[in-house]
Amino acid sequence: MSEIPKEEYLTTCTAACAGCSSSLSLRYVLKAAGPDTVLVVPACCTSVIQGMYPNTSFNVPVYNIAFAAAAACASGMSKAFRSAGKKTNVIVYAGDGGTVDIGIQALSGAFERGTDFLYICYDNEAYGNTGMQRSGATPLGALTTTTPAGKTETKKDLDQIVAAHNPPYMATACSAYPLDLYKKVKKALSIEGPKFIHILAPCPPGWRYNSDKTIEIGKLAVKTGSWVLYEREYGKLTVSGPSRMALKKPHPIEEYVRAQGRFKKATPEIIAELQQSIEKNLARIKKEEEGIC
């Protein structure tokens, strides 16, 4: 951790919930990006935790934008900066609702146009800012305010959708591994063109666990293979260090599921389906890294 700068661009006066991992992730994103950065934030938890005007907990410029328009706004902003000869980092920092669902059309368009920006989706697997309603990123069996008996559909595979656009760089990260996240943001910002980082951001009130367990929950997600850390640079996939063990011998998914109240109604059949899905995904990632597929 000694290589991470001491400068802070996210101050201690945020309105985030105790144990909020999305604000923790943003802290390291901004450390990697530095002061010459503009955040584009659609409607999401981040648009609230930044604070009330005229005060803010962010020490970089922030442009708040409508739910569906973050990537479109970033496209225009990036073009304006580049036309003026500026290398300012344009970073979209959006939740899963504004990425997987509402904002996916603008995201796809920006990637198709080759916009020089970094799009980050911090994924707490529900619409956290408005009360934890189900999103396309909510996993099978999870309780939300709109799926009180547990979600009956599987999580949308956003990473495969983004990969289909062939960006020069994309990666997954988790708030429980800040150095891994920091390095991936630094690498992404060193590459021209559209970049994407998908961060798993455990949420204490939404996932129903004690706020002091955020890091533990994030590490369980990685150790069980529920969340695989990797980079895909110019089409070449490389699994990151923390996920190496999971690729060989993952912990049982039940360890992760039973640590969260949102899965309290998950039946043995649902848990078995989640485990099977993980095994299938790990096998696919392993083959891709080895160049088999």
Side-chain angles (χ1 to χ4, degrees), residues 17-288:
C17 300
C20 173
S21 69
S22 62
S23 57
L24 175 63
S25 296
L26 182 57
R27 180 188 178 201
Y28 290 99
V29 167
L30 292 177
K31 280 177 175 288
D36 191 15
T37 298
V38 176
L39 286 181
V40 178
V41 179
C44 60
C45 292
T46 303
S47 61
V48 174
I49 67 175
Q50 66 193 39
M52 296 289 286
Y53 178 85
N55 301 308
T56 179
S57 58
F58 296 173
N59 200 20
V60 297
V62 180
Y63 196 97
N64 294 111
I65 195 69
F67 233 143
C73 172
S75 285
M77 190 178 289
S78 174
K79 188 70 172 179
F81 279 130
R82 304 301 177 258
S83 296
K86 296 181 179 180
K87 296 182 179 180
T88 301
N89 299 315
V90 178
I91 300 177
V92 172
Y93 197 73
D96 52 281
T99 304
V100 176
D101 298 331
I102 299 174
I104 199 167
Q105 86 300 340
L107 170 65
S108 179
F111 272 64
E112 185 271 332
R113 288 189 298 272
T115 297
D116 184 22
F117 79 137
L118 171 59
Y119 192 109
I120 296 177
C121 172
Y122 66 94
D123 189 352
N124 60 19
E125 300 185 326
Y127 286 87
N129 183 34
T130 53
M132 295 308 294
Q133 295 90 355
R134 166 211 190 280
S135 83
T138 304
L140 176 71
L143 305 181
T144 68
T145 54
T146 50
T147 57
K151 189 186 175 197
T152 56
E153 301 84 17
T154 58
K155 177 170 179 162
K156 189 185 295 185
D157 195 340
L158 174 64
D159 298 323
Q160 288 289 83
I161 294 172
V162 172
H165 292 77
N166 296 312
Y169 183 84
M170 62 179 292
T172 58
C174 178
S175 57
Y177 298 90
L179 183 57
D180 178 73
L181 170 60
Y182 173 83
K183 288 180 176 179
K184 286 172 177 174
V185 174
K186 290 288 285 186
K187 180 181 285 189
L189 293 174
S190 72
I191 297 171
E192 188 175 350
K195 289 82 61 176
F196 177 79
I197 298 179
H198 194 182
I199 304 173
L200 181 68
C203 172
W207 293 17
R208 306 182 189 185
Y209 64 83
N210 292 334
S211 59
D212 63 343
K213 300 293 185 183
T214 289
I215 301 302
E216 180 181 326
I217 294 294
K219 288 188 174 181
L220 274 175
V222 172
K223 290 176 180 178
T224 57
S226 178
W227 191 261
V228 184
L229 302 178
Y230 65 83
E231 298 175 284
R232 186 180 282 110
E233 189 172 356
Y234 296 103
K236 170 61 178 174
L237 185 142
T238 304
V239 175
S240 306
S243 282
R244 283 285 165 200
M245 187 57 68
L247 210 61
K248 296 177 181 178
K249 189 177 181 181
H251 289 216
I253 187 59
E254 194 160 2
E255 291 182 21
Y256 177 60
V257 167
R258 294 308 180 196
Q260 305 169 57
R262 63 175 177 158
F263 287 110
K264 67 180 181 181
K265 294 185 179 179
T267 63
E269 290 75 19
I270 286 177
I271 294 174
E273 188 172 344
L274 289 171
Q275 185 69 60
Q276 185 178 30
S277 177
I278 287 171
E279 291 169 1
K280 183 178 179 181
N281 187 52
L282 289 174
R284 179 187 61 79
I285 288 174
K286 185 177 181 181
K287 286 182 179 180
E288 183 178 349

